[in-house]
Amino acid sequence: MADKRDYYEVLGVEKTVTEAELKKAYRKVAKKYHPDTNPGDEEAAEKFKEAAEAYAILSDPEKRSQYDRFGHAAFDQNGGPGGFDFGDMGDIFGDIFGDLFGGGTQRRQSNGPTKGANIKTTVRVQFEEAVFGTTKDLELPLKDECIVCHGTGSQPGHDPETCTKCGGKGQVVYTQQSLFGVVRNVTVCPDCSGTGKVIKFKCAQCAGTGYVKSKKKIQVQVPAGIDNGQSIRIREKGEPGFNGGPRGDLLVTVLVDRHPNFQRQDYDLYSSEPITFTQAALGGTITINTIDGPIEQQIAPGTQTDTKIKLKGKGVPTLRNKNVRGDHYVTLVVQVPDKLTEEQKSILSEYDEASGSTARRSTDSAGGMGFGSHKKKKFGKK
C-alpha cells in the first residue's frame, strides 16, 4: 500500500471536493486514460484503473470517511479498521460510463443467482462500551420469502413466464454511436428487471415481490477498541438475494458517546487531573482516574502545572488484538484555592515572607539584583 498514490491526488481534487465535483473530475481522468482511446498503452490502462479505484472509495461517504482517517490502510486484505470491502467495481463503471459514453459499459446482470443488497444502519454505544466491547440488540424490518408463493411472486398455480424481450437471459444488447465510435452495450432487461421471468398473476400476499417485511432482532457484537464512525459488517443479514443468490450484508455504523473526562485519539486516551498546591510542592501519592478505574501514582516534589504523565498500556485496546492497548496521557493541573480562612492566609503570608527572604539572599549573593533591588527601582526609591 505504501506505493499507492493518494486518491485525491489521482483525481486531481482537494479533500473538500463535493460529490458533483468529484464525479466531474473522475469523468475527465477516465476519458483521458480510457483503453478505447489509448489502445495498447499499458501506462494509460494502469492510470485508468487507478482512477476507477480512487472514485470507488471517494464516491462512497462511509469509505471516504474511513480513507480520510486511515488512508490506504482502511482497505487492506483484512478489511481495514472499519471492515470495509471494495465491493463491485462494476457499479462504479455502470454509473459513470452510462453518462460518459452515452450508455457505455453498463453493469452486467443476468438471471443467475445474485447477491442481495446491503442494509446500512447505526448503533449508539457509550464511551466505555466502545473501549471494552459490548453486545447490542437491533430490531430492523427485514425481508423474508413469502410463505404463500415461496418467493416466486406469482399466485399459486401460476408460474412465472419466460420474458419474451430477452428470451429469459435477463439482459438486452444494443449498439450506439458515441464519441469513440460504435459502442456495444449490455444492460438489464427493462421488462423483467434482469430476472428472465415475467409475472402475469401476482401473489396477493407479497404483491408480486416474492418477499414480505417483518421486524427481526439482530445481535451485534461491538468489538473492543472500535472508534466513532467505524462500521461492523454482519454477513448475510441484508436484503434477500435473487434467483437463489445469498442475502446481502448488514453494515452497522457505530456512534460513540463523548466521555466527560477522557478524550480519544486513535488508541490513546487523554485527560487532566487536578492536584493541590501542597501535593505539587511536597510530592507524594495522588489518585488518577483511568478508564479501568482509579489508580495511585507517585509525583515528584515541585511538580509544575501542565506536567504530563504517561500511563503505558492504559489506553484503548486495538481492534486486531484486544490485549494490546494504547497509552493514557494525563496532564496535571495545580489548583489555586479561591477561598481561604484567616489562618490559611496567615500561613501563606509566612511562607511568602520566608520564600522572599530566601530569594533575596540567593539573588543578592549572585549579583546584587535581588527582589529588594527590583522593588526599589520600581517605586523610584534609592
Side-chain angles (χ1 to χ4, degrees), residues 6-46:
D6 179 78
Y7 285 147
Y8 292 99
E9 178 186 344
V10 169
L11 299 179
V13 295
E14 300 293 332
K15 284 192 173 184
T16 55
V17 65
T18 65
E19 183 178 347
E21 292 170 341
L22 183 70
K23 187 172 184 179
K24 183 178 179 181
Y26 174 58
R27 285 164 57 99
K28 181 179 179 181
V29 176
K31 181 178 178 180
K32 180 178 180 181
Y33 295 111
H34 194 275
D36 288 349
T37 57
N38 301 273
D41 189 336
E42 293 185 4
E43 183 179 354
E46 284 299 318

Side-chain angles (χ1 to χ4, degrees), residues 361-375:
R361 285 196 300 270
S362 135
T363 314
D364 287 342
S365 62
M369 288 295 290
F371 175 78
S373 301
H374 282 291
K375 191 172 182 181

Side-chain angles (χ1 to χ4, degrees), residues 257-277:
D257 291 335
R258 292 181 179 274
H259 196 279
N261 300 322
F262 304 124
Q263 293 81 46
R264 175 177 176 175
Q265 184 174 334
D266 295 330
Y267 294 114
D268 294 329
L269 292 177
Y270 295 82
S271 69
S272 60
E273 196 70 43
I275 59 175
T276 65
F277 172 78

Side-chain angles (χ1 to χ4, degrees), residues 299-315:
I299 60 172
T303 295
Q304 302 297 307
T305 193
D306 289 337
T307 296
K308 290 179 174 56
I309 296 176
K310 177 181 177 180
L311 304 177
K312 189 172 180 59
K314 287 294 184 180

Side-chain angles (χ1 to χ4, degrees), residues 337-357:
D338 55 359
K339 293 182 180 180
L340 297 172
T341 65
E342 292 301 321
E343 182 181 2
Q344 290 170 333
K345 291 179 181 179
S346 176
I347 293 173
L348 284 177
S349 295
E350 292 177 6
Y351 166 77
D352 185 57
E353 289 178 5
S355 299
S357 298

